[in-house]
Amino acid sequence: MKPPRKLHIKSYGCQMNVYDAQRMADTLAADGFVETASADDADLVILNTCHIREKASEKVYSELGRLRLAKTEAFRAGRDMRIAVAGCVAQAEGEEIIRRAPVVDVVVGPQSYHHLPELLARAKREGRAIETEFPAEDKFASLPQPKPDTIRTRGVSAYITVQEGCDKFCTFCVVPYTRGAEVSRPVAKIVDDAKRLADNGVRELTLIGQNVNAYHGDGPDGRGWTLGKLLLQLAEIPGIARLRYSTSHPRDVESSLIEAHRDLPALMPLVHLPAQSGSDRILAAMNRRHTVRDYLSVIDRFRKARHNIAFSSDFIVGFPGEREEDFSATLALVSQIGYASAYSFKYSPRPGTPAAEMQETVSAIDMDERLERLQALIDSQQSAFNKAAIGTTVDVLFERAGRNEGQMVGRTAYLQPAHVIAPTDIVGRILPVKVASLERYSLLGELAAASPPGPAASFQISIGA
Ligand code: SF4
């Protein structure tokens, strides 16, 4: 029997990439690969790239420089190391990657990674293989299912892709070009995946999609189902105790989703709802298709449905044309909502997007200064949100052992890490924890198994739609 080949995947960016990396590993496991933590001793290294953040492609080329040395070392040791670039940078740059980094054997876009075994075989025959088309067949139908042991190793919390791609075309974003048009998976396939995960110890499912609440997959009744309806169905699966979804677009929040938050205790009260800006002028330039008023109205509907709901968000500062008054409007929006957490970034142009052609750019100094002010405000809100948990009892889903002896780590309904001293067999259980203190963003406390769970922290707080 041939010894297994070693696979190392380095994944950048969003939850979708984490999920895609797992599905690449599942695909290659069927071809005799086992995962290894080190790139240096791998037979195949995959860089699963992200194009959202600044200088994404430069980071990939710099990593490929390091891998060139590792490949040379492997060659000297008589090993045949292969290097693949996957993900959104692969989609965006295609052949350019091999031109700039001839060390790369395979370039594969996010819609084609189920073809990895064939692409590796082609690269061996022809020296290289590139696939960045959007194939007509259903990628998900071609992907092998993870083995029960693999699911257990990955932990009690799992992602399921329910939707991919985006038709919104925000002017700053590459997703519609790298991931393609919006496609939703059928309900039955998602339910099958969820059951398999639940049967193998998964307790928490996060449904992911670039624009997850645009979900409109075919239901068993032959009709298109909304995300809210899908969540109701998944909540019925024995063993699934928590449901989440990400990332939502404010324009696609349907009443069935609001109702799901009202009716489903398993649906966690934390909604990631990117606002991007608090200025209508900038929102229009971004082609966000919503106003500040629309956004606030959506927040209000969620709050009316579930009193303890909290929000996270994404913001871009220094979008072309952003003036001080636009930025002040963003600060005002953040102040008005009070987020549990939020991500904020300086605008940086993505080649090929309409915003990259906009002339009225914001100076680096102004961008830095605005980002600092926004992050200070967000940090103060996050800190207040976390402090509000001190003295309360919160439900925690335990995931793993912590770094310190005897310590176990889990997450609250609001995704706050929580640390307690406890036996290891609490992994996979949801237990009440009395919160005593904070350490940075983590809650420290002790198990309160004898007492009933107290009210969840109710301070108002809030990943790309
Ligand atoms: S930011 Fe979100 S909604 Fe806008 S184009 Fe990108 S993925 Fe779509």
Side-chain angles (χ1 to χ4, degrees):
M1 203 169 92
K2 281 202 307 192
R5 289 175 289 171
K6 293 182 184 168
L7 164 69
H8 178 80
I9 307 181
K10 180 165 182 176
S11 214
Y12 303 80
C14 65
Q15 294 159 326
M16 182 76 85
N17 265 16
V18 174
Y19 174 87
D20 285 350
Q22 291 180 348
R23 303 311 305 263
M24 287 178 209
D26 297 337
T27 301
L28 291 161
D31 217 37
F33 281 92
V34 294
E35 287 191 82
T36 176
S38 155
D40 291 339
D41 68 350
D43 299 295
L44 170 62
V45 179
I46 302 177
L47 298 184
N48 189 25
T49 61
C50 168
H51 208 294
I52 292 285
R53 302 291 167 237
E54 199 174 5
K55 302 195 176 86
S57 51
E58 293 315 311
K59 284 183 188 148
V60 173
Y61 288 116
S62 131
E63 185 66 30
L64 287 171
R66 280 192 285 277
L67 287 175
R68 186 171 59 82
L69 301 177
K71 191 171 183 173
T72 307
E73 283 301 312
F75 181 75
R76 285 196 186 122
R79 287 193 300 114
D80 179 21
M81 180 192 272
R82 300 273 155 172
I83 296 173
V85 178
C88 290
V89 173
Q91 185 69 38
E93 302 250 322
E95 220 168 319
E96 174 71 4
I97 292 180
I98 290 186
R99 197 188 64 74
R100 280 186 62 181
V103 69
V104 172
D105 302 283
V106 171
V107 175
V108 57
Q111 302 306 343
S112 307
Y113 62 74
H114 54 304
H115 293 157
L116 266 167
E118 297 142 56
L119 291 167
L120 286 166
R122 197 193 318 157
K124 196 166 185 181
R125 282 194 317 271
E126 300 171 12
R128 63 178 202 174
I130 302 172
E131 188 170 322
T132 52
E133 303 301 313
F134 294 122
E137 87 268 22
D138 177 4
K139 171 178 77 183
F140 291 98
S142 311
L143 287 168
Q145 290 297 338
K147 295 180 181 141
D149 283 356
T150 305
I151 297 174
R152 289 180 187 279
T153 310
R154 288 175 182 165
V156 298
S157 185
Y159 297 130
I160 296 186
T161 294
V162 301
Q163 176 276 339
E164 269 199 282
C166 184
D167 296 339
K168 293 283 187 298
F169 289 92
C170 299
T171 53
F172 55 83
C173 183
V174 289
V175 164
Y177 312 99
T178 57
R179 292 272 177 172
E182 267 177 34
V183 180
S184 294
R185 295 181 65 204
V187 170
K189 303 271 187 203
I190 296 165
V191 170
D192 281 354
D193 284 3
K195 283 183 176 159
R196 186 174 302 102
L197 291 167
D199 286 348
N200 291 287
V202 168
R203 306 294 317 279
E204 177 180 85
L205 290 179
T206 302
L207 311 187
I208 53 174
Q210 271 87 27
N211 197 350
V212 72
N213 58 328
Y215 178 81
H216 57 274
D218 293 339
D221 54 4
R223 299 182 176 189
W225 280 30
T226 61
L227 182 66
K229 200 165 176 190
L230 175 66
L231 285 161
L232 286 177
Q233 179 84 34
L234 294 171
E236 299 285 318
I237 296 175
I240 295 301
R242 288 183 167 185
L243 291 166
R244 305 180 185 276
Y245 59 91
S246 189
T247 289
S248 308
H249 192 288
R251 197 183 156 99
D252 294 327
V253 177
E254 289 192 281
S255 50
S256 69
L257 184 59
I258 302 278
E259 284 155 17
H261 276 282
R262 183 193 65 198
D263 300 336
L264 278 183
L267 184 54
M268 293 295 96
L270 177 67
V271 177
H272 187 75
L273 199 64
Q276 308 297 3
S277 172
S279 155
D280 282 343
R281 205 175 64 82
I282 296 301
L283 287 172
M286 288 176 165
N287 190 33
R288 285 291 293 173
R289 308 175 192 216
H290 64 81
T291 62
V292 172
R293 195 173 164 177
D294 298 333
Y295 186 85
L296 288 169
S297 150
V298 172
I299 295 273
D300 198 44
R301 286 164 64 210
F302 276 116
R303 283 181 170 158
K304 282 192 173 123
R306 194 143 168 189
H307 77 281
N308 64 348
I309 207 159
F311 298 92
S312 62
S313 193
D314 295 336
F315 290 94
I316 295 172
V317 301
F319 187 79
E322 183 189 76
R323 301 175 194 143
E324 181 57 32
E325 59 262 33
D326 299 306
F327 177 67
S328 295
T330 298
L331 292 177
L333 177 69
V334 174
S335 298
Q336 184 172 351
I337 290 172
Y339 290 99
S341 64
Y343 300 92
S344 50
F345 307 95
K346 288 185 279 187
Y347 170 76
S348 71
R350 294 288 167 272
T353 58
E357 307 297 318
M358 293 178 183
Q359 302 298 319
E360 205 186 331
T361 54
V362 175
S363 74
I365 291 174
D366 283 346
M367 275 207 223
D368 287 344
E369 190 262 342
R370 287 176 195 172
L371 186 67
E372 206 174 302
R373 282 156 66 199
L374 178 58
Q375 291 189 334
L377 177 59
I378 290 168
D379 279 355
S380 71
Q381 293 189 341
Q382 183 167 10
S383 175
F385 183 81
N386 289 338
K387 270 188 192 146
I390 295 176
T392 69
T393 300
V394 298
D395 282 349
V396 173
L397 170 58
F398 283 93
E399 297 176 346
R400 60 184 169 82
R403 283 204 201 104
N404 301 332
E405 177 137 10
Q407 191 184 55
M408 298 301 293
V409 184
R411 294 211 178 243
T412 70
Y414 301 104
L415 287 176
Q416 297 147 301
H419 300 230
V420 299
I421 300 297
T424 53
D425 64 1
I426 64 169
V427 169
R429 293 171 65 192
I430 297 174
L431 295 171
V433 168
K434 176 93 181 190
V435 182
S437 59
L438 287 179
E439 193 178 279
R440 284 182 58 79
Y441 300 109
S442 297
L443 311 182
L444 308 184
E446 58 185 25
L447 289 181
S451 56
S458 62
F459 178 89
Q460 298 294 346
I461 342 180
S462 152
I463 307 177

